[in-house]
Amino acid sequence: METTQPTIHDLLRKLESKTAQVKLGGGQKRIDSEHQKGKLTARERIDHLIDASSDFLEIGLFAADGMYQEEGGCPSAGVVTGIGFVQGRMCVIVANDATVKAGAWFPMTAKKNLRAQEIAMENHLPIIYLVDSAGVFLPMQNEIFPDKEHFGRQFRNNAKMSAMGIVQIAAIMGSCVAGGAYLPIMSDEAMIVDKTGSIFLAGSYLVKAAIGENVDNETLGGATTHCEISGVTDNKYDSDQDCLDAIRKIFGTLGENPKAGFDRIESKPARISNEKLLDIFPMERVKPYDMLDVISGLVDGGEIDEYKKDYGKTLICGTARIDGWAVGIIANQRKIVKTAKGEMQMGGVIYSDSADKAARFIMNCNQRKIPLVFLQDVSGFMVGSKAEHGGIIKDGAKMVNAMANSVVPKFTIVLGNSYGAGNYAMCGKAYDPRLIYSWPTAQMAVMSGAAAAKTLLQIKVASLKKTGKVISEEEEKQLLEEITTKYTEELSPYYAASRLWVDGVIDPRETRKVISMGIAAANHAPITERFNVGVIQT
């Protein structure tokens, strides 16, 4: 049965629908329950905290999407994280969502919290924790407790950030139990909301079981106890709103720190409109197009100063401005191009000359202190005897080496394909982009769906033959459909976003804002390292 190709507007409607659903957290009943307790929800707290009409760049909105279904799901991994402005100061905000399993920590919750702390550390941004969590989700404790990137890593990060001079403010606005109690108390300032906030290493039931003491939670670890008796918290407040207003007052007194000094001038709009940008990008993933047209919808005035324009044509390298910020752009050219020798090169494929050009361009941007923006629509590196004889592995390694050792901040947008080693060379998640987002049109995997499905089918059929089973043509067709369906699901940008392989899925029209906020954040962290690529074969 022939299927209809979805349009970009179909994908944007899906993005809008999924966004609205995820932002409901545990659902309207849970939201109403929080309100009845006199509490704001995590998103309402953030709205109250950040400056009016300012942007909030959410990190990990779709984290855990489609995961933990046997446990009832965990929308947005039960925590809201992102970059916002408080009293004009850019900061990272982490807010537990108590409407989702009482804010309990799932494995993806830990991964998302650590990602937020990583962003604060990389960019030297103050971080605010709005704590309201029941602690580790016990049925999955073995997947969250003891390993290096598990729950305990956040406290290590607390200590490291303190030593780095990064301001950490915590507000206890609900439960804060067991190991989680250390997070706010390892912050610079810890405030608590009276009657709804509580903090203790063990709650009243566990205390009764462990030592036989009868005590209620408020006496054990409420606001009065910790502000007047133990001194664990600094001040108590009558409501969420009062507590959030106190954080705003603190941010109003913060001093300025040195900046990286990235160049910025007055912003200009892109040359083409947002709507035209949507029309340029083809939905058919094999259809060629000119990436320069897409770039003209992302950069100020549509202007890019290309580097080695007539060499290595399957990669576009050049300097431009996005929202006034100077950037170095590395983008996969998707149209078929002709070399000086008259040879045709496939779009979206990285050839030896392209990799060599990109490596040299990355070096130049580091020398000039220009942030790098990678626009991914890559099928991988060129293969075949001619490519191998020409040293594609050597030139690819040169590009990866330069990119991995870059000391200027890197930002990655996955527009379309992100396959195999192409994902790596174009600064995939493994190479520490400060931010990485994808468009709804993105696909991320070792290889394309069609190629992978056929390969997996061959492996499966061969495996069955070894056991003496021969399948019919109809059975083989059905097996191919099953494999294709599963692999196509894993290609989805939401599959990547749910696992935090990307920080989120965005409307293409938001790309300029995401990159601009990312560079503004990175500008808070002076570059202290020298660019050194180590050993590169030439």
Side-chain angles (χ1 to χ4, degrees), residues 112-368:
K112 186 171 174 180
N113 269 48
L114 293 178
R115 175 61 177 147
Q117 289 184 320
E118 178 184 47
I119 290 170
M121 294 168 79
E122 286 181 332
N123 298 294
H124 289 202
L125 291 177
I127 185 167
I128 299 169
Y129 307 101
L130 306 180
V131 185
D132 194 347
S133 172
V136 168
F137 185 66
L138 285 177
M140 305 187 77
Q141 64 85 26
N142 63 316
E143 297 181 47
I144 188 175
F145 171 63
D147 209 350
K148 181 177 180 180
E149 300 296 333
H150 282 179
F151 188 75
R153 186 76 171 180
Q154 66 174 336
F155 311 127
R156 173 264 188 194
N157 288 348
N158 283 141
K160 290 290 186 181
M161 281 191 277
S162 181
M164 292 170 66
I166 295 173
V167 173
Q168 301 177 80
I169 307 295
I172 301 156
M173 313 186 84
S175 296
C176 185
V177 300
Y182 287 102
L183 184 143
I185 309 311
M186 292 185 74
S187 299
D188 298 300
E189 300 199 39
M191 41 198 59
I192 187 168
V193 179
D194 197 17
K195 300 297 186 289
T196 55
S198 60
I199 177 169
F200 31 65
L201 294 182
S204 56
Y205 292 120
L206 184 54
V207 168
K208 173 66 174 175
I211 64 173
E213 180 184 0
N214 287 304
V215 60
D216 62 87
N217 282 339
E218 185 64 26
T219 303
L220 185 64
T224 298
T225 294
H226 286 310
C227 285
E228 299 181 17
I229 301 172
S230 72
V232 166
T233 52
D234 301 325
N235 287 296
K236 63 180 178 179
Y237 299 90
D238 292 332
S239 66
D240 282 7
Q241 292 88 339
D242 289 343
C243 188
L244 296 167
D245 288 341
I247 296 175
R248 288 185 54 80
K249 286 181 181 178
I250 291 171
F251 266 69
T253 67
L254 296 185
E256 287 288 340
N257 291 317
K259 297 287 195 290
F262 302 128
D263 187 62
R264 191 182 197 185
I265 62 174
E266 185 177 350
S267 176
K268 294 180 182 177
R271 191 178 73 212
I272 64 173
S273 68
N274 277 332
E275 296 307 315
K276 181 67 175 174
L277 175 63
L278 296 180
D279 294 336
I280 287 172
F281 195 83
M283 295 301 298
E284 300 86 357
R285 296 310 313 122
V286 296
K287 184 176 180 180
Y289 65 93
D290 193 341
M291 179 62 86
L292 285 170
D293 291 337
V294 174
I295 290 173
S296 70
L298 299 178
V299 303
D300 293 10
E303 300 171 359
I304 180 170
D305 184 12
E306 283 195 70
Y307 174 77
K308 293 183 181 287
K309 178 180 178 180
D310 298 319
Y311 176 72
K313 293 181 180 180
T314 62
L315 271 180
I316 297 168
C317 298
T319 52
R321 291 189 181 273
I322 293 179
D323 196 24
W325 293 104
V327 296
I329 292 176
I330 300 172
N332 302 110
Q333 176 57 284
R334 286 293 302 188
K335 70 178 184 179
I336 298 171
V337 299
K338 183 186 290 187
T339 69
K341 296 179 181 179
E343 299 170 334
M344 305 306 292
Q345 293 184 337
M346 293 185 293
V349 177
I350 302 174
Y351 290 77
S352 283
D353 53 358
S354 304
D356 174 69
K357 177 171 85 169
R360 294 175 185 275
F361 179 69
I362 290 167
M363 294 177 193
N364 285 352
C365 287
N366 275 270
Q367 189 77 353
R368 295 162 60 184

Side-chain angles (χ1 to χ4, degrees), residues 453-482:
K454 290 176 182 176
T455 303
L456 291 168
L457 176 65
Q458 291 171 6
I459 294 170
K460 183 69 174 178
V461 170
S463 177
L464 290 171
K465 284 182 179 179
K466 284 182 180 180
T467 64
K469 182 176 182 181
V470 179
I471 62 174
S472 67
E473 187 176 325
E474 185 61 33
E475 288 174 320
E476 188 171 315
K477 183 179 178 181
Q478 182 179 346
L479 188 56
L480 178 61
E481 287 179 359
E482 292 172 359

Side-chain angles (χ1 to χ4, degrees), residues 12 38 70 95 120 126 177 190 241 252 257 362 374 386 422 434 445 502:
L12 291 178
E70 291 183 4
V177 300
Q241 292 88 339
N257 291 317
I362 290 167
F374 292 81
K386 186 175 181 179
R434 296 292 177 94
V502 295

Side-chain angles (χ1 to χ4, degrees), residues 63-65 67-69 71-79 100-101 104 106 109:
D65 181 56
M67 299 172 69
Y68 311 126
Q69 293 306 300
E71 290 77 22
C74 186
S76 214
V79 61
V100 180
K101 303 291 185 184
F106 283 69
T109 315

